[in-house]
Amino acid sequence: VIGEVSMWGKGYGKETMQWLFHQAFDHKKLMSLYGYVLGNNERALHFYQSLGFEILGEYGEPYLRNDKEYRLIKIIKYSSRTK
């Protein structure tokens, strides 16, 4: 969990990610960004998809934490130059 729960939903995460995209795609000329999200974190998956990330699929082997199984989902966002 990133940030204080009371600050969620106020647009700070989206604003930060827009800045990251500008730096990555416009200044560094990267063609894509990728990351990993816990598959059971629907809120995070929805957030990243709303920013244009695509789900590539499950990544790696599931792992156990506190007797619960977790799977990682690999996500990617392409620069508009790659489309």
Side-chain angles (χ1 to χ4, degrees):
V1 177
I2 298 176
E4 296 290 327
V5 175
S6 64
M7 303 305 284
W8 291 2
K10 297 186 185 284
Y12 301 126
K14 190 170 247 182
E15 182 178 333
T16 300
M17 292 300 289
Q18 295 297 340
W19 177 86
L20 174 69
F21 299 151
H22 177 67
Q23 295 299 313
F25 298 139
D26 299 334
H27 290 288
K28 299 294 183 185
K29 306 298 185 204
L30 298 178
M31 299 307 284
S32 63
L33 294 171
Y34 71 92
Y36 303 92
V37 180
L38 286 175
N40 65 333
N41 190 339
E42 294 293 327
R43 184 180 174 98
L45 283 170
H46 177 74
F47 172 72
Y48 288 114
Q49 287 178 301
S50 77
L51 294 170
F53 279 86
E54 300 171 27
I55 294 175
L56 294 177
E58 290 184 2
Y59 176 81
E61 297 294 320
Y63 65 95
L64 288 175
R65 183 174 176 193
N66 298 326
D67 294 326
K68 189 171 182 181
E69 185 177 278
Y70 293 90
R71 295 179 179 273
L72 289 177
I73 304 296
K74 188 171 184 177
I75 59 173
I76 193 164
K77 179 174 175 70
Y78 295 100
S79 163
S80 61
R81 294 189 312 276
T82 61
K83 298 283 180 169

